[in-house]
Amino acid sequence: MNVSVLGCGRWGSFLAWYLSREHAVTVWGRPGSRGLEALRTAHKNQYVTLPDTVLCTNDLAQAAGTAEAIVISISAQQLRSLAAQLNALPIAGKTLILCMKGLECDTGKRLTQVIGEEIRQPVHTAVWVGPGHVEDFTAGIPNCMVVDSAEPDVVDCVTSAFSSELIRLYKGADLVGTEIGAAAKNVIGIAAGMLDGVGLSSLKGALMARGAREVARLIHAMGGNELSAYGLCHLGDYEATLFSRYSHNRQFGESYIRGESYGALAEGVPTAKALVRLGAQCGVELPISETVYRILYENENALDALKALFARSVKGEFYL
């Protein structure tokens, strides 16, 4: 299969490496992208070495034109503009696979909704999310991930084409829950890093349990299956996000508390704002997301806010 990967950051370049083992792969990056230039000149970056068969280009028409499947791995906040560019190209009938986790900050919309609004051509859309770090995968450490779509046949096709001994792909059947769960786990990851930063790491177990329950309530209110919060898209991704030294979101939270700059992308920052918006729209209480939001956007004292979070009034553990 001819596959194009749009995005050449950590995850995009890894996907190009992973998919090139069985497929013909093109990697696209924006003109002037330093990441793309590194892959063009040396065919490698700090994460992977690409085979010479991988084509690297900044020509979106070239990348989209040759591909049967277009894998997208960019910042969630850049998806709408990229989708508009794709809509200007002849992509009818192609499969777009969103390998990214987030919500549109200004609208709270899921990423497949953004694609649906911007791309007017008949395309197939799927999401591919779940646990795993590039550093572990390239060291040969396997993991499980999940593929979801509004079209079951697309789920079958993507899992069949891209599953391997390194990444076992499971079939999702709840697109709303899969997208919300995947996006929200980055916010929980920031909260975990903040707990590390203030010396309250022992609370991360409680954060995991309450975080999954919080997200389950939101998924339920949005018409999804709340059990998705306990699957690979969310709870299954916690170890890689709440504890790993490779997690950008966890490290961002810890660095924020310590007053240190952190240059890598942390999707949980804009997602916290989007979740607070969704919670208000759906009438769902999201105490963890709201706490992260207040710390990041309203400059609330982190230690006080985190302690207050875990000192909330007593409720039944699984109340709706």
Side-chain angles (χ1 to χ4, degrees), residues 7-237:
C8 51
R10 177 171 68 164
W11 195 244
S13 59
F14 163 72
L15 288 169
W17 172 84
Y18 172 74
L19 294 170
S20 68
R21 304 186 311 167
E22 299 290 338
H23 305 279
V25 172
T26 297
V27 179
W28 172 85
R30 298 182 188 278
S33 164
R34 286 179 294 178
L36 178 65
E37 287 309 308
L39 293 178
R40 265 180 161 176
T41 56
H43 251 61
K44 66 179 181 180
N45 58 20
Q46 65 191 98
Y47 305 109
V48 297
T49 298
L50 299 179
D52 292 339
T53 54
V54 173
L55 173 66
C56 301
T57 182
N58 62 12
D59 185 335
L60 186 60
Q62 179 185 26
T66 59
E68 300 163 72
I70 300 174
V71 173
I72 304 177
S73 179
I74 62 173
S75 164
Q77 307 314 312
Q78 297 175 350
L79 180 60
R80 188 174 290 276
S81 63
L82 178 62
Q85 291 179 265
L86 285 171
N87 189 55
L89 302 173
I91 60 170
K94 297 180 184 291
T95 299
L96 309 185
I97 306 168
L98 305 181
C99 295
M100 45 200 295
K101 305 166 185 178
L103 299 167
E104 190 171 54
C105 179
D106 292 337
T107 65
K109 290 182 176 178
R110 295 179 286 112
L111 302 184
T112 57
Q113 290 178 302
V114 173
I115 290 290
E117 289 177 356
E118 293 295 330
I119 295 184
R120 311 299 185 183
Q121 304 175 55
V123 296
H124 308 289
T125 307
V127 298
W128 172 359
V129 296
H133 283 298
V134 169
E135 294 85 351
D136 290 332
F137 282 134
T138 54
I141 301 171
N143 216 322
C144 303
M145 302 184 77
V146 61
V147 172
D148 215 331
S149 172
E151 302 176 78
D153 289 349
V154 173
V155 174
D156 292 341
C157 179
V158 174
T159 54
S160 175
F162 298 149
S163 192
S164 72
E165 291 184 358
L166 185 62
I167 301 180
R168 181 177 183 181
L169 294 175
Y170 281 77
K171 298 178 181 181
D174 175 29
L175 184 58
V176 170
T178 297
E179 287 193 87
I180 294 296
K185 68 94 190 176
N186 284 330
V187 179
I188 309 300
I190 289 176
M194 288 177 171
L195 289 175
D196 289 335
V198 299
L200 296 175
S201 299
S202 61
L203 286 174
K204 286 202 283 189
L207 177 71
M208 291 171 65
R210 300 313 307 153
R213 190 68 200 122
E214 173 175 315
V215 173
R217 291 197 304 271
L218 179 60
I219 290 172
H220 176 80
M222 295 179 66
N225 185 344
E226 65 182 82
L227 291 178
S228 293
Y230 306 100
L232 288 168
C233 72
H234 188 77
L235 183 61
D237 207 353

